[in-house]
Structure formats: C-alpha cells, structure tokens
Amino acid sequence: MPDVTALLVDQERNPPQDLLTALAHADVAVEIRTPDEAVAAAVGGPAPAAEVLLAPAAMQPRAVRAVSRRMSESGRTPIVVVYADQDFTTIEQHIRLGHDYIVPPFLPPLVRARLRSCYERAKLSRTMEEVAAQAELLSYERELKIGREIQEGFLPEGLPTLDGWDLDVRFSPARNVAGDFYDVFEMVNRRRLALVVADVCDKGVGAALFMALIRSLLRHTAEHSGLQNLMTTHQPTVSSDHSPVIPVVGATPLMNAVVGTNGYLTRNHSGQGYFATMFFSVLDPATGSLVYINGGHNPPLLVAAEGGDPQPLEPTGPAVGVIPDCAFSLGHAQVRPGDTLFVYTDGVPEARNAEGEFFGDERVLQLLREPAPSGRALLERVESALREHSGAAEQHDDITMMAVHRTVTPG
C-alpha cells in the first residue's frame, strides 16, 4: 500500500493503541482531532487534507459525513473507514452509507490488507465516477452541438443580393446557443424585404428555444398575411418626425406578425417569463421606404450619407410577449442613397473589458458619426472597436449586428 495520510477523529482523542501501532506499520501517517476540530480546521487555514478518514463506529454517521464534506472542500474526498473494538452493531448504519470498516484484532498485516482493499475499491469507484462524469459531459456537449446546429438552421443561409443595396450581418453567441437572432426574407410577392433583429431575454438553451419559436411565428405570419388594408384597431402609422404617413404595402403583414406573436406568447407562455425585444422592418428596395415596429428594442441608428449624428428609430411598442392585447404603432423612415441602417442588440453597448467597463452607447454613436462606404465596412469598424475594448475578457452577452446600406446611385 502506498504511503497515505489519515485523519482520525475521536471525541476523546484516545483511539485503540493497537490500531495506531498497526497504522504506523502500514506506513499510514495519522493526525488525531476531535470532530469539532476537524470541521472547524479551515478557519484561518485549509481544510484537513488526507486520503483516509478514520472514525469510531460509535460516532454518529451525520457527524462523520460533516467531517468528510469539510475535507472534500480541499479538493480531495477521503475514504471513510470506521472501526469498532467493542459494540459491532454500530457498524451497520455506517455500512448503509457506503463507509468501509475494520474490526479487531488490529494486527499490522490485517490492517494493512484491509486498508489496501478499501483504498483500491475507493480508487476504482472514483475512476468509474470520473468516467461517468466524462461521458455525461460529452453527451451534454453533443446535445449543445446539436442545439447549435438546429439553431443555425433557423438563421438565414445567406443574405439576398439586391441591386443598389449592400447587406451584412454579424452574429456572435456568448454561449453555444443564443437568444439573439436575425432574419432577412422576401415577402409580398418579392416586392418587399423583411429585416428582423431580436433579443430574447436571458441566454443559453432556454432562450434559444424561445428564439426558434418567436422567429418561426414571425416569419410564418408575415409570409402568409394578405395585402388587405390595415385594420382600424391598429395604431396609426407615424414617421420618424411624428407626421402621419399613408399606409404602405407590407405594413399589414408586419403588424399581423408582431401582434400575432405577442398574442400567442402571452396566451401560452407567460408562465415561462420569456419575452423578446425586437426590431422588425419592411423595406421597399425600389424607394428606400422603411416601415417598422420597434418592440422595446434599443433604437437602430440611421447613418446619413453625409455623416453626423445618426437618427435613432425609437420604440413603437413594448417588448413582445409581455403585455396581452397591447397596441403597436408603425414607424416610418427613409433610407436615402449613401445612408446605412445599423440594427444591433444590447450585447454591443454592454460588451465589457477585463475591468468590467461597458463599451457604452456613446462609443456606438461615435463610431457611427462617420459615414460608411458599405454595410460591411461599418460592421468591421464596430467589430474592431469591440475587440479592442473587450480584449481577452469573457463575452457576457450575445452580439448581433445588421447593416443595411443603400449604395449611391451613379451620377
């Protein structure tokens, strides 16, 4: 048996002398403490570190377990072995808990053989536990990989190519799966382009499941809505300068998609507590007219061709999935040649560096005050600034960015 250390807990500090002698012959270094001393040993110092915990069988099992747990906090779970030299009936309750035991005569060869058996059995048990834990971890990683692949299937395989327009996206989950999502798809007989960026509260697997649900509801409803006029129960359409705007083609599918998704979530999933902020817009590529609903999302920024302070597209309603039967207004904006629409989730301003400092909204605005020659160029500018700010710090939130640039018409 290899040299080992043992912590012997005895309230009287008076274990059988023949047991101590046998342990010494078995090359076991023994430290004797009372149970209270063993539990309190970490006050001002480390927990007792020993391979074997020896205790009299007369000691209450819960007291033995308390010492064992305290020792485990040092990173090593001890082998628990109880001994009895008189009342052997007390051993039974320890055996039920999986503790090993030794009984007289405490002859060196017998103690050595018994402890070797306990040591090898515990070693095998730990190896099996480690194998099981590793198998569980691999299974979990496989499940996450499958989840990631499924989630990627809900994102567009590519972005449409439109004359006069340059679209680009960046999508960076904080974990294997994300609560953020984006979508770009044609609708209204390919006359309009739907642009969606959304952020489901929380992150991880739960948020990813709701991401898939919300994305499917939005797209399915928008693609299958008719071209009828807006219902009178909807809030009026307003432009970015708050003036009335004549309803445009694509507004009805947009409104139906957001209102329908909000109704479904509040009716069927309010108990889960998940909701999503989102910016859902419908673009007329021919004119640059943009009608949108901003459901509690951080305002996208419209960057003018000549630069200057970007124009925010403020919320027109609450987050989706929070308030039943709530009203959403339609906003309107105009993307002129040379303009770029920048849509992003809060993972951008809330990106942190190693000191915990946020990237911040002002940095985002500063980056967008200069015009961009393309959507890709704008995203690369922001992406580079985020990398410089965050450094090697862990990413705390999903980051999604979309840039929609209208190219300058050749003169």
Side-chain angles (χ1 to χ4, degrees), residues 315-334:
T316 61
V320 175
V322 178
I323 305 173
D325 303 320
C326 66
F328 293 88
S329 297
L330 292 170
H332 183 273
Q334 184 68 35

PDB file of all heavy atoms in Angstrom, residues 315-334:
ATOM      1  N   PRO A 315     -38.536  53.083 -29.994  1.00  0.00           N
ATOM      2  CA  PRO A 315     -39.568  52.053 -29.830  1.00  0.00           C
ATOM      3  C   PRO A 315     -40.953  52.564 -30.199  1.00  0.00           C
ATOM      4  O   PRO A 315     -41.292  53.727 -29.951  1.00  0.00           O
ATOM      5  CB  PRO A 315     -39.478  51.707 -28.340  1.00  0.00           C
ATOM      6  CG  PRO A 315     -38.063  52.012 -27.966  1.00  0.00           C
ATOM      7  CD  PRO A 315     -37.708  53.231 -28.781  1.00  0.00           C
ATOM      8  N   THR A 316     -41.743  51.687 -30.786  1.00  0.00           N
ATOM      9  CA  THR A 316     -43.137  51.990 -31.128  1.00  0.00           C
ATOM     10  C   THR A 316     -44.094  51.082 -30.362  1.00  0.00           C
ATOM     11  O   THR A 316     -45.286  51.048 -30.663  1.00  0.00           O
ATOM     12  CB  THR A 316     -43.364  51.815 -32.639  1.00  0.00           C
ATOM     13  OG1 THR A 316     -43.102  50.452 -33.002  1.00  0.00           O
ATOM     14  CG2 THR A 316     -42.440  52.717 -33.440  1.00  0.00           C
ATOM     15  N   GLY A 317     -43.570  50.345 -29.413  1.00  0.00           N
ATOM     16  CA  GLY A 317     -44.389  49.450 -28.609  1.00  0.00           C
ATOM     17  C   GLY A 317     -43.518  48.717 -27.614  1.00  0.00           C
ATOM     18  O   GLY A 317     -42.286  48.867 -27.611  1.00  0.00           O
ATOM     19  N   PRO A 318     -44.126  47.910 -26.731  1.00  0.00           N
ATOM     20  CA  PRO A 318     -43.362  47.176 -25.721  1.00  0.00           C
ATOM     21  C   PRO A 318     -42.677  45.946 -26.288  1.00  0.00           C
ATOM     22  O   PRO A 318     -42.868  45.595 -27.453  1.00  0.00           O
ATOM     23  CB  PRO A 318     -44.444  46.781 -24.706  1.00  0.00           C
ATOM     24  CG  PRO A 318     -45.668  46.605 -25.557  1.00  0.00           C
ATOM     25  CD  PRO A 318     -45.572  47.659 -26.633  1.00  0.00           C
ATOM     26  N   ALA A 319     -41.874  45.312 -25.459  1.00  0.00           N
ATOM     27  CA  ALA A 319     -41.279  44.036 -25.843  1.00  0.00           C
ATOM     28  C   ALA A 319     -42.387  43.033 -26.146  1.00  0.00           C
ATOM     29  O   ALA A 319     -43.489  43.095 -25.579  1.00  0.00           O
ATOM     30  CB  ALA A 319     -40.370  43.520 -24.732  1.00  0.00           C
ATOM     31  N   VAL A 320     -42.101  42.105 -27.017  1.00  0.00           N
ATOM     32  CA  VAL A 320     -43.098  41.123 -27.460  1.00  0.00           C
ATOM     33  C   VAL A 320     -43.149  39.963 -26.478  1.00  0.00           C
ATOM     34  O   VAL A 320     -42.119  39.369 -26.140  1.00  0.00           O
ATOM     35  CB  VAL A 320     -42.756  40.628 -28.875  1.00  0.00           C
ATOM     36  CG1 VAL A 320     -43.702  39.517 -29.309  1.00  0.00           C
ATOM     37  CG2 VAL A 320     -42.803  41.787 -29.866  1.00  0.00           C
ATOM     38  N   GLY A 321     -44.371  39.654 -26.023  1.00  0.00           N
ATOM     39  CA  GLY A 321     -44.556  38.546 -25.097  1.00  0.00           C
ATOM     40  C   GLY A 321     -44.743  38.972 -23.665  1.00  0.00           C
ATOM     41  O   GLY A 321     -44.736  38.132 -22.764  1.00  0.00           O
ATOM     42  N   VAL A 322     -44.942  40.273 -23.432  1.00  0.00           N
ATOM     43  CA  VAL A 322     -45.076  40.780 -22.061  1.00  0.00           C
ATOM     44  C   VAL A 322     -46.513  41.165 -21.744  1.00  0.00           C
ATOM     45  O   VAL A 322     -47.084  40.736 -20.748  1.00  0.00           O
ATOM     46  CB  VAL A 322     -44.153  41.995 -21.837  1.00  0.00           C
ATOM     47  CG1 VAL A 322     -44.331  42.557 -20.427  1.00  0.00           C
ATOM     48  CG2 VAL A 322     -42.699  41.612 -22.067  1.00  0.00           C
ATOM     49  N   ILE A 323     -47.141  42.005 -22.584  1.00  0.00           N
ATOM     50  CA  ILE A 323     -48.460  42.571 -22.309  1.00  0.00           C
ATOM     51  C   ILE A 323     -49.481  42.013 -23.292  1.00  0.00           C
ATOM     52  O   ILE A 323     -49.346  42.202 -24.507  1.00  0.00           O
ATOM     53  CB  ILE A 323     -48.428  44.109 -22.410  1.00  0.00           C
ATOM     54  CG1 ILE A 323     -47.347  44.682 -21.498  1.00  0.00           C
ATOM     55  CG2 ILE A 323     -49.789  44.707 -22.084  1.00  0.00           C
ATOM     56  CD1 ILE A 323     -47.132  46.175 -21.670  1.00  0.00           C
ATOM     57  N   PRO A 324     -50.515  41.320 -22.793  1.00  0.00           N
ATOM     58  CA  PRO A 324     -51.544  40.798 -23.704  1.00  0.00           C
ATOM     59  C   PRO A 324     -52.320  41.942 -24.363  1.00  0.00           C
ATOM     60  O   PRO A 324     -52.570  42.985 -23.759  1.00  0.00           O
ATOM     61  CB  PRO A 324     -52.454  39.976 -22.778  1.00  0.00           C
ATOM     62  CG  PRO A 324     -51.665  39.759 -21.524  1.00  0.00           C
ATOM     63  CD  PRO A 324     -50.751  40.931 -21.400  1.00  0.00           C
ATOM     64  N   ASP A 325     -52.693  41.737 -25.604  1.00  0.00           N
ATOM     65  CA  ASP A 325     -53.574  42.662 -26.334  1.00  0.00           C
ATOM     66  C   ASP A 325     -53.049  44.099 -26.339  1.00  0.00           C
ATOM     67  O   ASP A 325     -53.828  45.050 -26.316  1.00  0.00           O
ATOM     68  CB  ASP A 325     -54.991  42.645 -25.730  1.00  0.00           C
ATOM     69  CG  ASP A 325     -55.591  41.249 -25.736  1.00  0.00           C
ATOM     70  OD1 ASP A 325     -55.407  40.528 -26.739  1.00  0.00           O
ATOM     71  OD2 ASP A 325     -56.224  40.873 -24.734  1.00  0.00           O
ATOM     72  N   CYS A 326     -51.741  44.257 -26.337  1.00  0.00           N
ATOM     73  CA  CYS A 326     -51.196  45.617 -26.352  1.00  0.00           C
ATOM     74  C   CYS A 326     -51.159  46.149 -27.784  1.00  0.00           C
ATOM     75  O   CYS A 326     -51.243  45.397 -28.748  1.00  0.00           O
ATOM     76  CB  CYS A 326     -49.804  45.654 -25.725  1.00  0.00           C
ATOM     77  SG  CYS A 326     -48.572  44.756 -26.665  1.00  0.00           S
ATOM     78  N   ALA A 327     -51.054  47.479 -27.909  1.00  0.00           N
ATOM     79  CA  ALA A 327     -51.033  48.120 -29.220  1.00  0.00           C
ATOM     80  C   ALA A 327     -49.602  48.402 -29.650  1.00  0.00           C
ATOM     81  O   ALA A 327     -48.766  48.802 -28.839  1.00  0.00           O
ATOM     82  CB  ALA A 327     -51.838  49.421 -29.169  1.00  0.00           C
ATOM     83  N   PHE A 328     -49.339  48.175 -30.915  1.00  0.00           N
ATOM     84  CA  PHE A 328     -48.048  48.512 -31.510  1.00  0.00           C
ATOM     85  C   PHE A 328     -48.282  49.546 -32.613  1.00  0.00           C
ATOM     86  O   PHE A 328     -49.189  49.393 -33.427  1.00  0.00           O
ATOM     87  CB  PHE A 328     -47.372  47.275 -32.114  1.00  0.00           C
ATOM     88  CG  PHE A 328     -46.956  46.257 -31.105  1.00  0.00           C
ATOM     89  CD1 PHE A 328     -47.828  45.264 -30.687  1.00  0.00           C
ATOM     90  CD2 PHE A 328     -45.681  46.283 -30.568  1.00  0.00           C
ATOM     91  CE1 PHE A 328     -47.444  44.315 -29.764  1.00  0.00           C
ATOM     92  CE2 PHE A 328     -45.277  45.331 -29.645  1.00  0.00           C
ATOM     93  CZ  PHE A 328     -46.169  44.352 -29.233  1.00  0.00           C
ATOM     94  N   SER A 329     -47.491  50.582 -32.615  1.00  0.00           N
ATOM     95  CA  SER A 329     -47.549  51.570 -33.679  1.00  0.00           C
ATOM     96  C   SER A 329     -46.538  51.225 -34.759  1.00  0.00           C
ATOM     97  O   SER A 329     -45.571  50.502 -34.526  1.00  0.00           O
ATOM     98  CB  SER A 329     -47.241  52.971 -33.129  1.00  0.00           C
ATOM     99  OG  SER A 329     -48.207  53.360 -32.181  1.00  0.00           O
ATOM    100  N   LEU A 330     -46.775  51.775 -35.939  1.00  0.00           N
ATOM    101  CA  LEU A 330     -45.857  51.602 -37.048  1.00  0.00           C
ATOM    102  C   LEU A 330     -45.005  52.855 -37.206  1.00  0.00           C
ATOM    103  O   LEU A 330     -45.536  53.972 -37.242  1.00  0.00           O
ATOM    104  CB  LEU A 330     -46.624  51.343 -38.350  1.00  0.00           C
ATOM    105  CG  LEU A 330     -47.369  50.005 -38.439  1.00  0.00           C
ATOM    106  CD1 LEU A 330     -48.277  49.997 -39.652  1.00  0.00           C
ATOM    107  CD2 LEU A 330     -46.385  48.849 -38.499  1.00  0.00           C
ATOM    108  N   GLY A 331     -43.710  52.679 -37.287  1.00  0.00           N
ATOM    109  CA  GLY A 331     -42.824  53.790 -37.560  1.00  0.00           C
ATOM    110  C   GLY A 331     -42.411  53.789 -39.021  1.00  0.00           C
ATOM    111  O   GLY A 331     -42.552  52.778 -39.726  1.00  0.00           O
ATOM    112  N   HIS A 332     -41.912  54.918 -39.476  1.00  0.00           N
ATOM    113  CA  HIS A 332     -41.517  55.025 -40.874  1.00  0.00           C
ATOM    114  C   HIS A 332     -40.218  55.803 -40.976  1.00  0.00           C
ATOM    115  O   HIS A 332     -39.998  56.762 -40.247  1.00  0.00           O
ATOM    116  CB  HIS A 332     -42.603  55.734 -41.693  1.00  0.00           C
ATOM    117  CG  HIS A 332     -42.290  55.820 -43.156  1.00  0.00           C
ATOM    118  ND1 HIS A 332     -41.553  56.855 -43.701  1.00  0.00           N
ATOM    119  CD2 HIS A 332     -42.594  54.981 -44.191  1.00  0.00           C
ATOM    120  CE1 HIS A 332     -41.434  56.659 -45.004  1.00  0.00           C
ATOM    121  NE2 HIS A 332     -42.053  55.536 -45.330  1.00  0.00           N
ATOM    122  N   ALA A 333     -39.346  55.367 -41.872  1.00  0.00           N
ATOM    123  CA  ALA A 333     -38.091  56.070 -42.122  1.00  0.00           C
ATOM    124  C   ALA A 333     -37.761  55.959 -43.595  1.00  0.00           C
ATOM    125  O   ALA A 333     -38.306  55.103 -44.316  1.00  0.00           O
ATOM    126  CB  ALA A 333     -36.963  55.489 -41.276  1.00  0.00           C
ATOM    127  N   GLN A 334     -36.864  56.806 -44.043  1.00  0.00           N
ATOM    128  CA  GLN A 334     -36.450  56.803 -45.436  1.00  0.00           C
ATOM    129  C   GLN A 334     -34.943  56.600 -45.509  1.00  0.00           C
ATOM    130  O   GLN A 334     -34.171  57.366 -44.917  1.00  0.00           O
ATOM    131  CB  GLN A 334     -36.811  58.133 -46.114  1.00  0.00           C
ATOM    132  CG  GLN A 334     -36.501  58.179 -47.590  1.00  0.00           C
ATOM    133  CD  GLN A 334     -37.384  57.239 -48.409  1.00  0.00           C
ATOM    134  OE1 GLN A 334     -38.559  57.048 -48.087  1.00  0.00           O
ATOM    135  NE2 GLN A 334     -36.824  56.636 -49.449  1.00  0.00           N
TER     136      GLN A 334
END
